[in-house]
Amino acid sequence: MEKVTLAAWPTPMEAAPRLAAEIGLAAGDLWIKRDDLTGLGGGGNKVRKLEWLVADALRCGADTLVTTGGPQSNHARLTAAAGARAGLNVVLVMPGSGRPDRPAGNLLLDAALAARVVWAGDAAPAELAGQAEKTCAELRNEGAVPYLVPFGGSGALGARGYREAGEEILAQRPDVRHVVTALGSGGTMAGLVAALRADRVLGVDVGALPDPAAVAAAFASDLTGSEVTAAHLRVRRDQVGQAYSVLHEPVLEAITTVARTEGVILDPVYTGRAAAGLIAAVRDGSIRPGQRTVLLHTGGLPGLFGHTEAAHRIGQTLRP
């Protein structure tokens, strides 16, 4: 199956010598893979997955994309953008009782992209999938042809996008030893593992799923055709903090450190946790000086503006 093209590839690979020196690596050890610069809808890693998923939706004759996510979901925002690019309607199923008085961050962009939101009340993340299926059934009754995009765009099909990303990374940094990525719904890590092998990929759990390693391993198995288990994967779970949406103190440190050394902005849920995991791995010796390391920047900038606590804490550091 051919994918649709939603961005220009490859994304840049930028050296990060000041950040490397700040966290205890040699100046030439650290690079940032800029998958935030994918362009569509504000950019981010989900574009790679959506190229395959939208192609499948079009092949199936769909006229509407349906997916799930929180109000600050990067995946939901990029699904809305991909739908706009492909001429498809988009329905986002989200927890909550209704539109806030002043939508911000990703939710503001969802509105700009003309997505329709179905508010699912107090539904837990696991219950959103059932609400999305119900929404698809209602759309069929109305004469629409919906296509259900999985949570995070993750699955063996969407993970093909990150197998391609892993191949890009190898072409840009053939000597790479570690690729550090946020681990949310599992598809990004699965694709990287398929391209790079499990021993070179470090996933930093963000708290989106109870057992993301098992999910990523299942996707990687489907993608490669060989058994990959959670035990094969390198996963750090020390950056989740209290909860997925709650600011974790080391993450705030990571965001400000990366911004002030390299001028690169991270978000408080995904890339901030990935950077915090990288810093922790250097401190405990899991990543050592002399080992070429890539931090995957998966985007998420709009989420920073929609995260009240992170925005407030960073704003407090503004110098007079």
Side-chain angles (χ1 to χ4, degrees), residues 132-147:
E133 293 280 6
K134 179 181 176 182
T135 298
C136 286
E138 292 170 351
L139 288 167
R140 291 187 193 97
N141 289 337
E142 295 168 4
V145 184
Y147 180 93

Side-chain angles (χ1 to χ4, degrees), residues 67-298:
T67 199
T68 62
Q72 289 304 323
S73 167
N74 299 306
H75 163 68
R77 181 242 312 166
L78 284 170
T79 300
R85 177 70 64 85
L88 301 172
N89 297 318
V90 176
V91 179
L92 308 175
V93 179
M94 296 180 169
S97 57
R99 181 180 65 84
D101 291 337
R102 294 187 176 183
N106 279 305
L107 195 58
L108 177 63
L109 297 182
D110 295 338
L113 293 161
R116 180 164 74 88
V117 177
V118 172
W119 298 102
D122 295 329
E127 297 171 324
L128 286 178
Q131 180 60 58
E133 293 280 6
K134 179 181 176 182
T135 298
C136 286
E138 292 170 351
L139 288 167
R140 291 187 193 97
N141 289 337
E142 295 168 4
V145 184
Y147 180 93
L148 184 57
V149 177
F151 172 63
S154 292
L157 180 58
R160 292 185 188 184
Y162 267 87
R163 182 171 59 187
E164 292 177 323
E167 292 164 355
E168 279 182 24
I169 290 170
L170 281 176
Q172 292 168 318
R173 295 299 324 165
D175 56 352
V176 65
R177 175 62 186 86
H178 307 282
V179 176
V180 182
T181 181
L183 171 56
S185 54
T188 296
M189 185 172 186
L192 292 174
V193 166
L196 298 167
R197 301 191 320 265
D199 65 295
R200 287 201 279 193
V201 182
L202 174 60
V204 182
D205 183 10
V206 304
L209 296 175
D211 190 2
V215 174
F219 294 156
S221 297
D222 288 344
L223 192 58
T224 62
S226 58
E227 184 181 13
V228 179
T229 70
H232 292 135
L233 304 184
R234 298 171 60 200
V235 175
R236 295 191 73 103
R237 309 201 71 173
D238 56 347
Q239 301 304 323
V240 173
Q242 294 181 27
Y244 171 79
S245 60
V246 177
L247 182 64
H248 187 42
E249 202 65 29
V251 174
L252 180 64
E253 175 193 344
I255 291 171
T256 55
T257 298
V258 174
R260 293 168 188 179
T261 57
E262 298 295 344
V264 173
I265 308 301
L266 307 179
D267 81 286
V269 177
Y270 289 91
T271 54
R273 281 189 168 100
L278 165 64
I279 293 169
V282 174
R283 288 175 176 167
D284 69 19
S286 301
I287 295 176
R288 300 188 299 276
Q291 296 179 331
R292 296 294 185 267
T293 300
V294 172
L295 174 64
L296 178 63
H297 192 327
T298 51

Side-chain angles (χ1 to χ4, degrees), residues 3-84:
K3 67 178 184 177
V4 299
T5 300
L6 298 174
W9 312 108
T11 54
M13 179 78 76
E14 297 180 347
R18 285 172 46 80
L19 175 60
E22 180 70 20
I23 67 175
L25 295 175
D29 286 346
L30 185 60
W31 298 73
I32 301 176
K33 176 64 169 169
R34 297 297 302 271
D35 267 18
D36 56 319
L37 302 180
T38 50
L40 180 77
N45 67 319
K46 304 301 183 182
V47 174
R48 290 189 186 269
K49 301 175 183 180
L50 286 161
E51 289 192 325
W52 292 95
L53 293 162
V54 170
D56 193 41
L58 293 172
R59 182 185 63 82
C60 294
D63 57 21
T64 306
L65 302 177
V66 178
T67 199
T68 62
Q72 289 304 323
S73 167
N74 299 306
H75 163 68
R77 181 242 312 166
L78 284 170
T79 300

